[in-house]
Amino acid sequence: MKSISRRALVLYSIILLFLAGCGLLFFNLISHSEEWAMNKANKHLYNSGSLATAGDILDVNGEILVTTKNGSRSYNDDKSIRIATLHTVGDSSGYIASGVQSAFKNEITGYSLKDGVYNLQRYGKGNDITLTLNAEICKVAYNALGNYKGTVGVMNYKTGELICIVSTPSFDVYNKPKDIHTDTSGKYEGIYMNRFFSGLYTPGSTFKIVTAACAVENIPDIYEKEFVCNGKIQVGEGYVICSATHGKINFEEALNKSCNCAFAKIAEEVGNEALTRTAERIGFNGLGFVINDKINCSNSKLDLSNAKLLDLGWAGIGQYTTLINPCQMLTAISSIANKGFAVSPYLVSQIQTPNGREILKGETIELGQYFTEMVADELNVLLRSNVKNRYGDNLFPGIEMCGKTGTAEISDNSEAKPNGLFVGYSQREDMPFAIIVIVENTNSSMSSAVPIASKVMKAIKNEYTQ
Ligand SMILES: [Zn+2]
C-alpha cells in the first residue's frame, strides 16, 4: 500500500511539473511573441535593422508618404514633404518613437498574436495607414519655420483631426546628417522628438487666455474695471514688469495690448485656487493625451501650490513654472472656437488590411465642455478683437482670425532669446481650423510666430474654402 501511494505521489509531482512547464512556455509565447516577431533580426520585416516591409502611410488626400519598394522603405518624392512629415511618419530605424511607423508597428507590419507576421508573408505587405494629415499644409508650415527650431500644429476644432504637425529641427531620411550624433553645437537638439506631442514650453502671454477665461468666470464686473499700467506693478513682495507703459486701460485693451500689469492684477484678484481650477478643467495637470491610443503627449502644468503672491502674478502672464504642451494648448484653444466644447485630437483616420478590411477607424471623441458657451462666446469676441485691433486682419485676409501672441522668457540669463508663440483660429464655418505656432529663440512673436501662422492659415484658406 505504502509503495503504491509513494509512486502516485511521484506521478502527481511529474504531472504538476509538466503543467507548470506548459504554463511557463505559454506565458513566454504570449508575452514575448511580439518582441520575437518584431525583433530587428526578423528578415521578413527588417533589413539591416531598418523597417523594410510594411504597409503604406497616406495623407488625407491619398498622397503616399511612405511605402515599400524593392524590399526597403520608400518615402515621398518631394523633399520638403519628406522633411515636414518626418516626425509624424517616423524614420525606418525607429529613432522617432512617436512616429506612426514606430507607434503603430504592429498595425503597419500586419502583426497579430494569432497569425504572427502571416499576413505579411501572404500579401507581401502590412496594413495601410491613412492619416488626417495634409502633407501640402505641412510643407507650407515647414518652409515657413525656416531655420527656426519649433513646432506648428493645426487641428479641425469641430472634429479633432490634426491636419498639420511639423517639428523642427528635422532632416531628410534620404540624406541624414552625418554629424547628427557627434555634433555639440546644439543644432540637432531634440531632433528625434516631435515637439508638438512631446514638447513642453513656457506659454508667455498666450496663457493670458486662461487668465482671461478665469476672470470672465469669476469677476462679475471685469469689463467695467480699469487697470493702470506704469510699466511695472507691485504684486506681493515684488514687481511684475510690463513690455510698455499702457496707462489706463480696460480688460479688452489689456488683452489686445497684452498688458502684464493688468493681468498680474487679474491673477491676484482671482487667486491661486480659481486659476488652477480653470486651468485643470482645460487639461492642465492631467495625464496628457494618448493620440489614437498609441502616441503619448506630455501634459501642461500649472503648479501654484507653493506660489507666493508675486509668483501668482507671474503665473497669470504665463511665466513662473507654467508649462504648456502644444497639442494640449491647441485642444484648449479649439474648444473656445467650438462654443466651449472640446474634442480630442487624432491623427490616424483609417487602418486597412491588404484585402481591404478596415481594422481601425479614427473618429471624433468628445471631451466635454471646457468652457460654458457664454464664456467661450466672450473669449471669442476678445480673441477676434486682438487680431482686428492689434495684429492686423491684413495678415489673415478673409479668414476672420482670432488669436493671441506670447513672448516667453525661458531663462534668467538676459542673453538668452525668448520663445515666440501664437495660438488662434478662424471663425469661418467652412474653415474650422485652430493653429499653434511656437518658435524657439527669437526676438518677438510678431516677427516670427505671427507671420508663420499667417502663411499656414492662408494656405489652408486656399485649399479648404471656395
Ligand atoms: Zn502694461
Side-chain angles (χ1 to χ4, degrees):
M1 236 3 238
K2 225 177 187 179
S3 75
I4 290 175
S5 67
R6 198 179 298 131
R7 248 180 270 157
L9 197 67
V10 169
L11 196 63
Y12 283 138
S13 303
I14 289 171
I15 290 170
L16 265 174
L17 273 173
F18 175 75
L19 287 175
C22 282
L24 192 65
L25 183 71
F26 189 66
F27 173 76
N28 261 320
L29 195 66
I30 297 289
S31 59
H32 292 293
S33 58
E34 177 183 336
E35 209 176 290
W36 293 331
M38 291 295 159
N39 189 295
K40 286 191 173 182
N42 187 339
K43 291 279 190 313
H44 296 302
L45 300 177
Y46 293 94
N47 181 2
S48 311
S50 286
L51 188 67
T53 314
D56 300 346
I57 297 179
L58 305 101
D59 89 340
V60 69
N61 295 318
E63 178 80 19
I64 292 177
L65 302 177
V66 60
T67 183
T68 292
K69 272 186 197 157
N70 307 320
S72 67
R73 293 301 262 170
S74 167
Y75 292 79
N76 193 278
D77 290 336
D78 185 322
K79 183 182 166 188
S80 294
I81 288 183
R82 283 200 301 274
I83 302 177
T85 60
L86 170 76
H87 289 89
T88 311
V89 170
D91 59 322
S92 309
S93 306
Y95 280 107
I96 300 166
S98 65
V100 169
Q101 295 199 89
S102 292
F104 290 84
K105 195 166 57 178
N106 287 355
E107 291 77 3
I108 203 163
T109 54
Y111 171 81
S112 76
L113 192 61
K114 184 167 136 270
D115 303 323
V117 287
Y118 166 79
N119 282 326
L120 191 70
Q121 287 163 301
R122 180 172 168 192
Y123 297 106
K125 67 182 294 195
N127 303 316
D128 291 340
I129 301 184
T130 304
L131 307 179
T132 57
L133 214 63
N134 183 318
E136 285 298 328
I137 302 296
C138 294
K139 179 176 163 176
V140 171
Y142 168 73
N143 288 332
L145 269 165
N147 291 325
Y148 282 122
K149 284 179 189 163
T151 182
V152 177
V154 180
M155 160 172 163
N156 181 319
Y157 55 72
K158 290 185 178 170
T159 64
E161 292 158 289
L162 291 164
I163 68 159
C164 171
I165 301 168
V166 174
S167 179
T168 53
S170 185
F171 63 90
D172 183 4
V173 277
Y174 287 163
N175 192 18
K176 191 171 173 178
K178 299 253 179 309
D179 58 344
I180 203 165
H181 294 138
T182 54
D183 175 81
T184 52
S185 72
K187 65 179 170 181
Y188 302 128
E189 188 217 332
I191 199 165
Y192 295 128
M193 176 173 95
N194 187 337
R195 285 163 152 78
F196 179 72
F197 289 136
S198 309
L200 282 173
Y201 290 95
T202 302
S205 297
T206 58
F207 190 80
K208 284 176 184 150
I209 300 171
V210 183
T211 309
C214 186
V216 170
E217 288 166 352
N218 295 287
I219 307 175
D221 62 342
I222 185 68
Y223 291 95
E224 281 89 63
K225 280 194 181 288
E226 188 181 76
F227 302 92
V228 181
C229 168
N230 295 317
K232 64 175 184 177
I233 198 161
Q234 186 164 11
V235 185
E237 298 287 283
Y239 288 88
V240 168
I241 313 298
C242 196
S243 58
T245 304
H246 293 115
K248 285 182 182 170
I249 47 172
N250 65 27
F251 179 51
E252 180 173 335
E253 288 165 334
L255 190 66
N256 286 172
K257 295 176 180 170
S258 205
C259 178
N260 288 349
C261 295
F263 273 85
K265 274 285 157 201
I266 292 171
E268 190 183 353
E269 185 165 344
V270 294
N272 285 5
E273 279 179 25
L275 192 57
T276 303
R277 217 163 36 234
T278 299
E280 289 187 347
R281 200 184 54 236
I282 64 171
F284 281 71
N285 302 339
L287 297 171
F289 292 122
V290 185
I291 306 294
N292 288 99
D293 296 325
K294 295 278 184 190
I295 301 169
N296 290 300
C297 291
S298 305
N299 201 37
S300 305
K301 293 180 178 73
L302 177 74
D303 181 7
L304 299 176
S305 51
N306 294 312
K308 300 195 175 77
L309 212 48
L310 182 61
D311 300 329
L312 172 64
W314 283 109
I317 61 168
Q319 295 289 155
Y320 187 48
T321 56
T322 316
L323 291 170
I324 54 160
N325 167 258
C327 185
Q328 185 273 326
M329 192 63 171
L330 183 61
T331 306
I333 294 306
S334 292
S335 76
I336 298 172
N338 195 34
K339 300 183 193 306
F341 195 82
V343 291
S344 178
Y346 71 97
L347 175 64
V348 171
S349 62
Q350 192 195 47
I351 301 182
Q352 203 175 44
T353 65
N355 55 10
R357 190 166 59 86
E358 187 177 80
I359 55 171
L360 182 147
K361 188 171 164 54
E363 280 170 338
T364 302
I365 299 167
E366 298 179 341
L367 295 173
Q369 209 75 32
Y370 270 10
F371 302 101
T372 65
E373 197 171 334
M374 201 188 77
V375 171
D377 279 350
E378 291 185 34
L379 294 171
N380 204 18
V381 171
L382 290 168
L383 295 175
R384 179 75 187 103
S385 114
N386 281 345
V387 177
K388 250 197 289 196
N389 301 330
R390 193 70 181 172
Y391 319 135
D393 268 340
N394 59 321
L395 291 167
F396 302 97
I399 296 176
E400 296 168 37
M401 196 70 186
C402 301
K404 180 77 195 82
T405 54
T407 303
E409 303 294 337
I410 48 166
S411 159
D412 291 335
N413 175 3
S414 57
E415 299 284 295
K417 285 184 175 178
N419 291 341
L421 298 90
F422 179 83
V423 293
Y425 55 88
S426 164
Q427 288 180 331
R428 283 180 64 140
E429 273 291 315
D430 57 353
M431 197 180 153
F433 295 105
I435 185 169
I436 184 163
V437 178
I438 300 179
V439 178
E440 298 174 19
N441 305 110
T442 176
N443 287 316
S444 88
S445 50
M446 273 308 287
S447 65
S448 56
V450 176
I452 293 169
S454 162
K455 283 180 189 160
V456 175
M457 292 306 280
K458 281 194 250 182
I460 292 172
K461 180 169 174 271
N462 280 343
E463 178 140 350
Y464 287 85
T465 67
Q466 296 287 311

